[in-house]
């Protein structure tokens, strides 16, 4: 518009100045090697204006053509982008429906033209993995890497998740270790780390991030406690299997104060020491645990007395006194547990008179009896010369067992007959 106005003004100036210069204008001479061009000043101005008009016209035509090409390209690009968005939404719906084959096809087909091509390739990889096509899943991840590079957190999370689904635990663990360095507080990273470490039984690595997992709010208090207990049990088994009793005790001495005062972990340590026949170390820890025993009905109390029944130290007198004192103020259910433990301790001391007393108290609550109790009580009654009571107890136990045809018993290391054989 400005150029056209400039040409019109230039032409108007020539028309106005022309008559004024008509009698005084002179001429213009242009001379080359072979040609001589002569013209009036007015003709030169008109020629200059026409030349500018031609140049501007050519430029306008070229610009129009380029704009037309650009508009055409933009139209096709916009069309592909809209199509890609539509297919992406449809593909995500198919994933929710479980049609992973169709979802992969829709999401991955025009992924490069979508608003977030990296996300499309990731979702396509997940869909391919869900239908068991590891090759396609890896191919989509490679395509995503080409766009996003190797420092994309979302891409690395997706890669790690797919490695876990492919059960490639060493690669998955290496990947999640890197993710924890990159984003140690990311909830999705922590969740993946928990899943991978649990599956690969890397309990020490999981123990190192438990505090961050708790702070992240990924689990409720109850769920986190279950996870923590699972880790602690795993650590105890790992140390026992790898380093034996001495290694397990050394590890225990190195634990923080909070864990060393955790009754659940201490009871787990006692159970494993008894399994390894280190009854003296287990006995010392048992004395510490009984001192702080306060809840009569907790699962911890039941587990504690169960381990006392298995304990075979050289001298159990301190433990006998502590359990006897505790039982006096306990509720009836807890008293049954304590009487059972005391009965086993007395038998190992060959103190059958006291064992006879506590087992009589125990069998008075027949609904609290366990199969091992009948065997041990019968043995005690026989040692006291009351064979009739022993026989009657065995018959009652047999009738009770025959009246429960669906009852199954577990073979454990806690058989009273095995303990008696060692006496």
């Amino acid at each position: 518009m400005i150029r056209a106005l400039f040409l019109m003004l230039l032409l108007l100036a020539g028309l106005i100045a022309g008559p004024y210069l008509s009698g005084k204008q002179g001429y213009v001479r242009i001379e080359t090697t072979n040609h001589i061009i002569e013209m009036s000043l007015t003709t030169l101005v008109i020629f200059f204006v026409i030349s500018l008009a031609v140049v501007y016209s050519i430029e306008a035509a070229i610009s129009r053509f380029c704009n037309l090409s650009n508009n055409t390209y933009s139209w096709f690009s916009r069309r592909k982008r809209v199509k890609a968005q539509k297919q992406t939404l449809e593909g995500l719906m198919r994933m929710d429906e479980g049609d992973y084959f169709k979802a992969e096809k829709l999401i991955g087909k025009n992924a490069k033209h979508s608003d977030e091509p990296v996300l499309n390739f990731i979702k396509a990889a997940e869909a391919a993995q869900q239908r068991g096509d590891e090759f396609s899943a890896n191919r989509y991840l490679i395509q995503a890497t080409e766009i996003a590079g190797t420092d994309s957190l979302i891409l690395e999370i997706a890669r790690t998740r797919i490695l876990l689904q492919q059960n490639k635990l060493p690669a998955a663990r290496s990947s999640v270790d890197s993710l924890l360095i990159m984003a140690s507080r990311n909830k999705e990273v922590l969740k993946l780390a928990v899943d991978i470490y649990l599956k690969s039984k890397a309990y020490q690595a999981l123990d190192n991030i438990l505090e961050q997992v708790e702070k992240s709010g990924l689990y409720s208090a109850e769920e986190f406690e279950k996870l923590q207990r699972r880790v602690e049990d795993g650590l105890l088994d790992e140390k026992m299997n790898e380093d034996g009793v001495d290694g397990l005790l050394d590890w225990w001495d190195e634990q923080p104060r909070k864990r060393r005062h955790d009754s659940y972990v201490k009871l787990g340590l006692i159970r494993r020491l008894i399994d390894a026949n280190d009854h003296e170390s287990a006995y010392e820890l048992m004395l510490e645990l009984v001192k702080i025993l306060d809840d009569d009905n907790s699962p911890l109390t039941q587990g504690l007395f169960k381990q006392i029944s298995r304990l075979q130290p050289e001298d159990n007198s301190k433990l006998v006194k502590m359990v006897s004192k505790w039982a006096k103020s306990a509720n009836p259910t807890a008293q049954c547990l304590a009487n059972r433990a005391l009965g086993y301790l007395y038998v190992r001391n060959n103190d059958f008179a006291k064992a006879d007393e506590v087992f009589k108290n125990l069998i008075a609550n027949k609904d609290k009896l366990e199969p091992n109790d009948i065997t041990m009580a019968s043995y005690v009654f026989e040692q006291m010369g009351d064979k009739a009571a022993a026989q009657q107890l065995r018959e009652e136990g047999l009738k009770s067992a025959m009246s429960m045809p669906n009852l199954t018993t577990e073979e454990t290391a806690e058989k009273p007959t095995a303990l008696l054989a060692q006496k």
Side-chain angles (χ1 to χ4, degrees), residues 240-264:
M240 173 64 82
N241 295 334
E242 292 180 359
D243 304 322
V245 172
D246 292 337
L248 179 61
L249 291 173
D250 291 340
W251 172 83
W252 177 252
D253 291 337
E254 296 170 357
Q255 294 309 293
R257 179 184 179 89
K258 182 179 179 181
R259 175 165 287 168
R260 286 174 53 82
H261 287 77
D262 189 324
S263 299
Y264 178 89

Side-chain angles (χ1 to χ4, degrees), residues 83-96 99-114 116-128 140 143:
K83 184 179 180 181
Q85 291 175 347
K86 182 178 179 181
Q87 290 181 335
T88 299
L89 291 174
E90 186 179 353
L92 292 174
M93 292 175 63
R94 291 300 181 95
M95 280 194 73
D96 290 339
D99 188 356
Y100 298 111
F101 179 81
K102 189 66 175 179
E104 176 195 345
K105 185 177 180 180
L106 289 168
I107 296 173
K109 187 175 182 180
N110 289 307
K112 291 183 178 180
H113 302 291
S114 66
E116 297 292 343
V118 174
L119 295 179
N120 273 60
F121 282 125
I122 289 174
K123 285 298 181 182
E126 291 177 354
Y140 286 124
Q143 289 177 296

Side-chain angles (χ1 to χ4, degrees), residues 27-28 30 39-51:
Y27 73 98
V28 176
I30 301 173
M39 66 182 72
S40 65
L41 185 59
T42 302
T43 304
L44 178 63
V45 171
I46 294 172
F47 179 77
F48 178 72
V49 171
I50 294 172
S51 299

Side-chain angles (χ1 to χ4, degrees), residues 196-420:
I196 291 170
Y197 289 153
L198 282 177
K199 199 166 185 179
S200 59
K201 297 183 179 180
Y203 296 109
Q204 185 59 62
L206 182 51
D207 186 49
N208 294 337
I209 64 170
L210 270 184
E211 184 176 353
Q212 292 173 320
V213 172
E214 183 179 16
K215 292 178 180 179
S216 69
L218 273 172
Y219 302 94
S220 66
E222 183 179 352
E223 291 172 339
F224 179 77
E225 184 179 4
K226 289 181 180 179
L227 174 63
Q228 185 177 18
R229 296 315 187 198
R230 186 173 176 184
V231 172
E232 290 164 345
D233 286 332
L235 283 171
L236 290 169
D237 289 332
E238 185 178 274
K239 295 302 177 182
M240 173 64 82
N241 295 334
E242 292 180 359
D243 304 322
V245 172
D246 292 337
L248 179 61
L249 291 173
D250 291 340
W251 172 83
W252 177 252
D253 291 337
E254 296 170 357
Q255 294 309 293
R257 179 184 179 89
K258 182 179 179 181
R259 175 165 287 168
R260 286 174 53 82
H261 287 77
D262 189 324
S263 299
Y264 178 89
V265 186
K266 186 175 289 187
L267 182 59
L269 176 63
I270 290 171
R271 179 169 62 80
R272 286 163 177 83
L273 290 173
I274 294 175
D275 289 341
N277 287 323
D278 187 355
H279 292 271
E280 298 304 322
S281 298
Y283 179 70
E284 296 300 323
L285 292 168
M286 185 70 77
L287 292 177
E288 298 176 6
L289 200 53
V290 173
K291 287 179 182 178
I292 61 174
L293 190 63
D294 54 1
D295 189 348
D296 294 355
N297 298 317
S298 70
L300 177 65
T301 301
Q302 299 175 17
L304 175 65
F305 283 113
K306 188 175 184 179
Q307 299 310 315
I308 290 177
S309 300
R310 302 176 60 206
L311 199 58
Q312 303 177 52
E314 291 294 328
D315 180 9
N316 59 23
S317 56
K318 289 184 180 180
L319 184 59
V320 169
K321 290 179 181 178
M322 294 174 68
V323 174
S324 300
K325 182 179 179 181
W326 183 88
K328 292 178 181 178
S329 59
N331 62 42
T333 300
Q335 283 182 344
C336 288
L337 296 173
N339 285 332
R340 178 180 294 112
L342 284 171
Y344 280 75
L345 292 174
Y346 287 140
V347 169
R348 294 187 185 105
N349 292 339
N350 290 324
D351 192 345
F352 292 107
K354 291 183 178 180
D356 179 76
E357 181 181 350
V358 294
F359 271 114
K360 284 181 178 178
N361 292 332
L362 180 62
I363 63 176
N365 298 283
K366 295 187 181 298
D367 57 325
K368 305 294 184 182
L369 286 177
E370 295 182 358
N372 291 349
D373 297 338
I374 295 175
T375 304
M376 183 61 81
S378 300
Y379 172 75
V380 170
F381 294 160
E382 285 181 345
Q383 295 300 313
M384 293 297 295
D386 192 353
K387 295 184 178 181
Q391 183 62 31
Q392 181 182 358
L393 187 60
R394 288 194 179 97
E395 290 176 357
E396 290 178 357
L398 181 60
K399 289 178 181 179
S400 177
M402 292 179 66
S403 65
M404 301 174 65
N406 295 324
L407 180 65
T408 58
T409 59
E410 296 181 359
E411 296 294 332
T412 68
E414 302 165 20
K415 291 182 178 180
T417 51
L419 299 175
L420 291 172

Side-chain angles (χ1 to χ4, degrees), residues 27-63:
Y27 73 98
V28 176
R29 178 184 176 91
I30 301 173
E31 185 174 348
T32 64
T33 303
N34 300 320
H35 299 86
I36 296 175
I37 302 174
E38 295 180 352
M39 66 182 72
S40 65
L41 185 59
T42 302
T43 304
L44 178 63
V45 171
I46 294 172
F47 179 77
F48 178 72
V49 171
I50 294 172
S51 299
L52 283 177
V54 171
V55 171
Y56 289 158
S57 298
I58 294 173
E59 181 186 5
I62 294 174
S63 297

